[in-house]
Amino acid sequence: MIRTVDAKAVDSAKALPDRSILVFSKIPIAPSHGGNRQRIRTLLGELRRDHAVTFALIPSRQRRDCDAQGHRDFFGPGRYRPLTRGIVAETMFNAAALARRVRTKVFGDRRSTDVDYLFDRSIRAQCQRLIAALRPDIVLVEYVHFSKIFEWVPDDTLKVLDTHDSFVAEFTPAAERKGLARADTILAIQDREAALFDTLLAGAASTRVATVSHIVAPCAPIDLSRCDGAS
């Protein structure tokens, strides 16, 4: 069951069976011990009932406890595609991250003007090859920080951004708007975030915002015929 104010973004996809969906995420779904991991897992679990979902895991520190076999079991043979980063690229990426932390500490907490600062350019070719090889009907990206990937998606492919949150404390309005406007459809968890995205996207008529709140799996019926032990 999907509890949502506007479930059209998910329902419209589910109404079109046998679509292929390529997901890019830096957040693994196994083990699913965090709130964001659980949201991604349950959302994709709902979609894979009707569609072929391929999961591309972006390199990040989140991968340290990643259960690779758990991903293969969840998505099926050949549908778990972990992206890789070489030693040189890893070193350069970590050095840039350290430099950002130093600047923040020295100059104070300042909002970034670059919505792509967490995206590692070294994985660009891998993203492009995967999109070209699979030719998915839908590309779903987790978090606005990785919306750069949409720039390599064909125009006839639906681009969906699962935002998880608004990052107004991290980005300038112009930077966040740039990332949001790359998508055809934006998924917000709460109405207030959806309203904020609508405001940021004023004038971007090609991008629609849908509120898809947390997904709750179906539960077994509760036997109410007896009340032994109730307090």
Side-chain angles (χ1 to χ4, degrees):
M1 178 178 66
I2 300 178
R3 293 179 178 173
T4 172
V5 175
D6 179 1
K8 292 180 181 178
V10 175
D11 287 345
S12 60
K14 292 180 68 178
L16 300 170
D18 301 323
R19 297 287 172 169
S20 61
I21 304 175
L22 174 57
V23 181
F24 287 95
S25 174
K26 80 162 190 174
I27 306 296
I29 57 99
S32 54
H33 50 60
N36 54 354
R37 295 188 182 201
Q38 188 61 46
R39 172 179 170 79
I40 297 170
R41 183 185 182 97
T42 51
L43 175 63
L44 300 186
E46 193 73 19
L47 290 175
R48 72 190 176 111
R49 293 172 183 266
D50 302 286
H51 308 293
V53 178
T54 299
F55 187 82
L57 183 61
I58 297 171
S60 75
R61 289 179 295 176
Q62 295 277 347
R63 190 181 285 189
R64 292 174 181 173
D65 69 341
C66 175
D67 179 359
Q69 187 58 50
H71 284 79
R72 287 190 285 268
D73 293 341
F74 185 85
F75 292 105
R79 299 203 179 278
Y80 170 54
R81 301 292 189 92
L83 306 183
T84 59
R85 184 160 55 202
I87 295 176
V88 174
E90 182 82 23
T91 301
M92 293 177 63
F93 183 81
N94 290 337
L98 177 60
R100 284 194 302 270
R101 289 195 293 269
V102 171
R103 286 196 300 269
T104 298
K105 186 173 183 179
V106 172
F107 298 107
D109 186 15
R110 299 188 302 174
R111 290 187 293 177
S112 176
T113 59
D114 182 11
V115 73
D116 304 318
Y117 80 89
L118 280 182
F119 183 77
D120 182 0
R121 270 72 172 177
S122 72
I123 65 170
R124 171 177 177 168
Q126 293 179 73
C127 295
Q128 291 175 316
R129 285 196 298 267
L130 194 55
I131 293 168
L134 297 181
R135 301 178 63 185
D137 299 300
I138 301 169
V139 170
L140 190 155
V141 171
E142 301 291 341
Y143 288 97
V144 70
H145 307 69
F146 301 94
S147 60
K148 180 80 174 174
I149 294 170
F150 288 138
E151 294 186 353
W152 310 313
V153 176
D155 292 340
D156 59 352
T157 300
L158 181 66
K159 299 180 286 291
V160 180
L161 177 64
D162 190 11
T163 59
H164 290 261
D165 204 347
S166 169
F167 292 90
V168 292
E170 184 174 349
F171 297 117
T172 62
E176 188 167 19
R177 183 185 189 280
K178 177 181 178 180
L180 296 173
R182 289 166 169 161
D184 298 315
T185 298
I186 293 170
L187 305 184
I189 294 178
Q190 301 181 43
D191 282 346
R192 62 179 181 81
E193 293 164 1
L196 177 59
F197 296 150
D198 272 328
T199 300
L200 285 172
L201 288 166
S206 61
T207 302
R208 64 182 291 267
V209 180
T211 303
V212 178
S213 54
H214 292 297
I215 299 168
V216 181
C219 300
I222 299 175
D223 183 4
L224 300 178
S225 61
R226 301 178 61 185
C227 57
D228 295 355
S231 60

